[in-house]
Amino acid sequence: MKKGISRVGAALFTVLAVAMLCAAAASATTNRAAATTVRIWVDKDRHAAVDKVASAWARSRGVDVQVVEKGFGDIRDKLGTVAADQAPDVIVGAHDWTGELAANGLVQTLFPSKAIKKLFPRYSLDAFSYGGRLYGAPVALENVGLVVNTRLVKVPKTFAQLEKSALAFKKKGSDHIAIAVPQGSGGDAYHMYPFFSGLCGYIFARSKSGALNAHKIGVANPKFLKNASLIDKWNRECLINSTVDYGTAKDAFLKQKAAFWVTCPWESDTLKGSGLNFRIVQVPKIKCAAVPFLGVQGFLVTKYATAHGVTSLAKDLVARYMMGAAAQQDLAAANSRFPANKTAGKRVTDPVLAQFGRASKGGVPMPNIPQMASVWGELGGAWVKATKGAGATPARSAFATAARNIANKIG
């Protein structure tokens, strides 16, 4: 009898032990699930696309994602003050946030494979690099292009053809504009950049590591100053006039008072609905390639991923999955932009977006270091002074002054 009771007791002990082990396993599983939730901050425009892409990745990894919508500017502004338990592991961001976020230790370096990096133009990776290190995965490109009304003029293959055609069209009407590139009284260094780069201008030199050097300013470099007399010529013949602001440029092109318009992908719907025949190309080479400024949008892994124990997962999502062609297509299309991934770019079927994408070739990312704040007003102002028509400042003087002012502001 005692032996029977002993056997029953042993059996009960075994059952209890198994139950305790199962409960412990269930608890561990619950804890792991909590620890493997990756939180992503996104803006309204990309919320649905990020949810789709991140959820597909999460299912493949057996983890959870939480997509939290924030105002685009709030993503950057609140990243340094958010409570750790509410902080994101991954954020969507603009490339020119990189310097500030990296300098403040808020984002982590990324190490995509060589095979993945080959799928991206070097300049798109440079956009999210700081101090020679990559901090973000480029997803979408944004740049100006030269929109040509093909009913009014031929698409120019050289800058000389552009200049001749634009001036001939201007002579046909007293209210015609040669090249509708926006400036206005405040200037617009972004839209004017193809003309600046075409005259061999640049903002900051790069070190051997690829890092931007804010103390080597190219706004008035010798090559540019040698070519600056062309700006005086453009001013005299009214090829470019700083009194043309954004609204004036847009209105003139849509009313066929300008055959050439320098604008961005955010006017894609306007162009599609205009009823005009047009093509979008890069501004032809002047003395150097007339490449545009690039705005690049993408994703970064925050410092909080380490505190949350999801660093490797967050980096896998950003530096592998989100850099793949399929994900890039969905993410870039969500904001009507051209994908950074070259394979994804070849799959773009929207003809307007594809043309803007081709016009981005060789583009220069807007410098992502804090010192760029000292450049915008001065560079835009130099163009205004040199292209305002009668009484304009000689370009050589205007840009040399701007370069000195920038250097003084940077200190």
Side-chain angles (χ1 to χ4, degrees), residues 43 62 81 106 122 133 178 180-181 223 227 233 249 256 278 282 284 289-290 305 316 333 358 368 377 390:
D43 61 320
T81 58
L106 293 170
R122 179 70 232 179
R133 296 181 178 182
V181 52
K223 280 189 177 180
N227 298 324
K233 177 175 178 283
Q256 302 193 70
F278 62 88
Q282 194 170 89
D316 179 71
R358 287 192 288 272
N368 61 17

Side-chain angles (χ1 to χ4, degrees), residues 109-397:
T109 51
L110 299 178
F111 301 95
S113 69
K114 289 183 179 179
I116 288 177
K117 289 171 74 173
K118 284 182 179 179
L119 297 174
F120 291 80
R122 179 70 232 179
Y123 47 81
S124 70
L125 298 172
D126 287 343
F128 276 103
S129 298
Y130 178 73
R133 296 181 178 182
L134 182 67
Y135 284 90
V139 166
L141 306 178
E142 185 176 271
N143 56 276
V144 302
L146 179 69
V147 188
V148 183
N149 184 323
T150 54
R151 281 183 182 171
L152 301 177
V153 293
K154 292 182 179 180
V155 177
K157 295 182 178 180
T158 67
F159 193 83
Q161 290 175 358
L162 170 60
E163 185 175 16
K164 181 179 179 180
S165 183
L167 292 175
F169 178 78
K170 185 180 183 306
K171 290 179 181 178
K172 292 180 179 180
S174 60
D175 57 352
H176 285 192
I177 294 174
I179 300 178
V181 52
Q183 291 190 73
S185 60
D188 193 328
Y190 177 75
H191 281 88
M192 290 301 298
Y193 194 82
F195 302 94
F196 179 68
S197 63
L199 295 174
C200 307
Y202 62 91
I203 308 298
F204 300 123
R206 288 188 178 272
S207 65
K208 290 182 179 179
S209 69
L212 291 167
N213 186 336
H215 298 288
K216 288 188 177 181
I217 301 165
V219 170
N221 72 77
K223 280 189 177 180
F224 178 82
L225 290 181
K226 182 180 179 180
N227 298 324
S229 60
L230 285 175
I231 301 175
D232 300 327
K233 177 175 178 283
W234 299 343
N235 180 62
R236 288 192 302 271
E237 61 194 17
C238 211
L239 182 71
I240 294 172
N241 193 302
S242 65
T243 62
V244 176
D245 60 17
Y246 192 93
T248 303
K250 178 177 179 177
D251 187 63
F253 186 81
L254 295 178
K255 291 181 177 177
Q256 302 193 70
K257 302 275 177 82
F260 301 99
W261 181 26
V262 177
T263 194
C264 284
W266 56 69
E267 293 291 0
S268 293
D269 288 342
T270 299
L271 288 167
K272 291 173 186 176
S274 68
L276 300 175
N277 288 349
F278 62 88
R279 274 190 59 195
I280 305 161
V281 297
Q282 194 170 89
V283 174
K285 177 181 178 180
I286 307 174
K287 293 296 183 178
C288 290
V291 297
F293 252 154
L294 288 181
V296 187
Q297 297 161 353
F299 291 83
L300 304 95
V301 175
T302 76
K303 71 171 186 177
Y304 302 105
T306 299
H308 299 161
V310 295
T311 300
S312 61
L313 284 168
K315 289 189 174 183
D316 179 71
L317 169 62
V318 172
R320 182 188 65 82
Y321 196 81
M322 284 184 167
M323 292 181 79
Q328 291 262 317
Q329 281 182 272
D330 287 336
L331 294 169
N335 204 31
S336 298
R337 299 296 184 265
F338 193 78
N341 180 294
K342 290 184 284 189
T343 300
K346 293 176 182 177
R347 299 174 183 172
V348 172
T349 57
D350 183 318
V352 174
L353 195 57
Q355 290 176 67
F356 272 117
R358 287 192 288 272
S360 73
K361 186 177 181 180
V364 175
M366 291 181 286
N368 61 17
I369 56 178
Q371 293 89 340
M372 185 60 190
S374 299
V375 175
W376 288 112
E378 294 294 339
L379 182 55
W383 277 108
V384 169
K385 292 174 184 176
T387 60
K388 67 179 183 179
T393 303
R396 186 181 182 93
S397 174

